[in-house]
Amino acid sequence: MGGTLPVAPWQTGAVTDTTPHARPAAPPSAVSTGTRPESRREARAPRPGPLGYRRALAALTLVVAAWGVLWAVVTPSFQAPDEQNHLGSVLRIAYGGGWPAPGDAYFAPAVVDAVDEAAYPSDPPGRFVHRPDVPQFVDLDPVPRDERTRVEAATALGDATSGTDVDQMTQHPPLYYALGAGVLHATGLTDARWDTATLALRLLDVLLLALTVPLAAGAARRVTGSPSAGLVAAVFPLFVPQLGHIMGAANNDALVVLACAAVTFLAARVVTGDLRWRVAVAIGLLVGLGLLTKVMVAFALPTVGVAYLLARGRPWPARLGRVGVAVAVAGVVGGWWWVRNVITLGAVQPVGRPRDPATVAQVPTDEVPSLIVEKLAQAFFGNLSWLEVRLPGGWVVLGSTVLVVVALVALVLPGARRASLVLLLLPASLAAGVAYNAWDAHGVTGGLVAVQGRYVFGGVTALAVVLAVAVWQLVRRSERGLARAVPLVVALALAAGGGGLVWAFGAFYRAPGESLGVGVDRWLAWSPLEPPALVAVLLLAALAVVGAVVACLAWPRRAVAPPS
């Protein structure tokens, strides 16, 4: 080829199958160069992948799942944003309490007892500022497991006469809570102890996170034509401690992350030439379902529109028609909820519980832009508990710098620029939405509120793909070189994932000067699980890590072997 670098198969004009189970793309001369992306060649079943790919991807998926489970058992109950609210809203649906209008939902008596037994509010030892007037978590004694409150019909629902506070979660649609209620019913945990029910919901969120891994891998492989790129994308979650913290908690953001991951995967297919009508319908269905969880999924629509705008293989009217179908389906499935809000409540998302402006710290106007950037970066990488435990700033700067460099490499170097632009629109749109909302609220309250990195986690899969594209570019798009880089990337991810957990454990359970043993004893006492179960969790996580290491060390040899 005269020394030129290879590009992604879809940029050659050839239509190839680069799904996660496909063989490496053939040279352009060996495939059809027709102009119909939805031809029979595109639509037929994918061929088996290179030897070991599915096993390596499965091993990495299990590692991410194990990482999420560890976060679920390490984070103390209700030491994650709004977790007690999410538990209460799940119980409301599980016990037939419906979905009251915003402001008309109340905490259940069982949840009020649970909050007290979880020692909330209290400050974890890793809090950024010590507050001597607030109870310290490490000074409190946990309620013995067999004495903790069990949920029952008489205490599972609250109302205006129960004397409890307003639960603002009904400002969102109920899909996540209905799913959580289904899990509690299916597992027989509707009448379990509150901490056991909370752990079940945490594990549901871990499952939703794990499902994003093959989607990220598939999108990266589609964009680059490289199975190794798929494995690089698969481990991206381990680099973001805050993602593990939030996805290891009971939180409706988990369903948003999965919905956006699925849309990201399909947008990658669209921009690389898959313009079948069924894809447009599937995108609309996924966006619509996401909109029945949170309004943030609407920020995926620019990604979808630009994906069709930049796709090749169909004239403008046909591509615009597919955008119209996707938007229409999304509106029918879930968009109607937000239209109804505007018509009946006068706002896209009503306020479930108004914030008292007197409790908001005032911020000078000239400091707002820089503080938004600083707080959003901090909260994206590491702001545990209720944004109280901060990852050291050096790591936040390093992570932010790497993301910026990765994005620039993917956008500047030829090979997958259009796809990278499309995918980066999602995290960029989410971040811009958070910044605008914070700026708008500042004009009302004088403070900065709702600057939370979890609101950008819908773009994590897109960032994972762009990371894979950047590494693919840095090895000069060589499959052999990228395969050799996979063990290094996985090793870095495992180190980051483990380091984040060690940091979190100390921040939650070890006061300054205390030994590791004291922290472990405190963790065992507060956990909903008995010590033997916790030991089993640690052993299974270790086995998952060993499996991933073995699979990835073997990957460079298997990646260049002839396909089976």
Side-chain angles (χ1 to χ4, degrees), residues 151-548:
V151 179
E152 54 186 29
T155 61
L157 299 176
D159 56 35
T161 65
S162 64
T164 59
D165 292 333
V166 170
D167 174 4
Q168 79 270 26
M169 286 302 118
T170 55
Q171 66 188 5
H172 301 300
L175 181 60
Y176 169 80
Y177 305 100
L179 178 61
V183 167
L184 294 187
H185 278 295
T187 56
L189 295 176
T190 52
D191 57 355
R193 293 195 328 254
W194 64 266
D195 57 339
T196 305
T198 301
L199 180 59
L201 297 177
R202 287 182 170 192
L203 295 180
L204 165 64
D205 285 16
V206 171
L207 174 62
L208 299 179
L209 171 65
L211 293 175
T212 68
V213 175
L215 292 170
R221 188 173 181 185
R222 173 78 185 191
V223 168
T224 63
S226 165
S228 298
L231 300 183
V232 170
V235 295
F236 180 81
L238 302 180
F239 288 107
V240 186
Q242 186 73 8
L243 180 65
H245 177 56
I246 296 300
M247 298 298 103
N251 195 304
N252 60 359
D253 288 309
L255 196 52
V256 173
V257 170
L258 178 58
C260 288
V263 173
T264 298
F265 171 75
L266 292 179
R269 294 195 63 87
V270 168
V271 75
T272 54
D274 190 347
L275 300 180
R276 291 173 293 174
W277 285 105
R278 71 179 72 173
V279 174
V281 172
I283 289 173
L285 178 62
L286 290 165
V287 172
L289 289 173
L291 288 173
L292 291 177
T293 303
K294 262 186 171 181
V295 73
M296 290 173 185
V297 181
F299 286 91
L301 290 175
T303 291
V304 173
V306 176
Y308 278 103
L309 175 68
L310 297 181
R312 296 171 179 168
R314 281 287 183 177
W316 276 80
R319 284 181 278 159
L320 291 177
R322 286 156 174 79
V323 174
V325 165
V327 172
V329 172
V332 169
V333 174
W336 61 270
W337 179 277
W338 307 98
V339 174
R340 185 212 61 167
N341 280 354
V342 172
I343 294 174
T344 63
L345 303 173
V348 175
Q349 178 169 298
V351 177
R353 185 172 59 195
R355 185 185 300 270
D356 181 3
T359 64
V360 179
Q362 299 299 290
V363 176
T365 301
D366 60 339
E367 297 179 13
V368 170
S370 61
L371 279 177
I372 288 176
V373 173
E374 177 186 331
K375 287 178 176 291
L376 189 56
Q378 178 75 65
F380 180 87
F381 283 103
N383 244 173
L384 309 185
S385 191
W386 291 63
L387 305 185
E388 297 171 290
V389 178
R390 297 176 179 176
L391 187 68
W395 291 108
V396 175
V397 171
L398 175 62
S400 302
T401 302
V402 169
L403 284 185
V404 170
V405 171
V406 160
L408 290 175
V409 169
L411 289 173
V412 171
L413 297 181
R417 287 183 294 194
R418 287 186 292 129
S420 298
L421 174 62
V422 166
L423 298 183
L424 284 170
L425 278 175
L426 181 51
S429 298
L430 288 166
V434 172
Y436 173 81
N437 184 62
W439 181 268
D440 186 57
H442 178 269
V444 177
T445 67
L448 285 181
V449 297
V451 185
Q452 299 203 32
R454 62 192 174 99
Y455 297 153
V456 187
F457 285 163
V460 161
T461 296
L463 293 173
V465 177
V466 173
L467 170 67
V469 170
V471 177
W472 177 67
Q473 293 283 16
L474 293 175
V475 298
R476 297 178 62 81
R477 306 174 212 148
S478 162
E479 180 60 21
R480 185 182 299 273
L482 189 53
R484 290 172 175 168
V486 165
L488 174 60
V489 174
V490 171
L492 291 173
L494 290 173
L501 283 165
V502 170
W503 162 63
F505 183 88
F508 284 132
Y509 296 103
R510 294 180 64 188
E514 286 187 337
S515 67
L516 176 62
V518 171
V520 169
D521 288 341
R522 186 174 288 120
W523 173 49
L524 295 175
W526 281 101
S527 176
L529 297 178
E530 298 285 351
L534 288 172
V535 171
V537 168
L538 293 174
L539 289 175
L540 290 173
L543 288 175
V545 170
V546 170

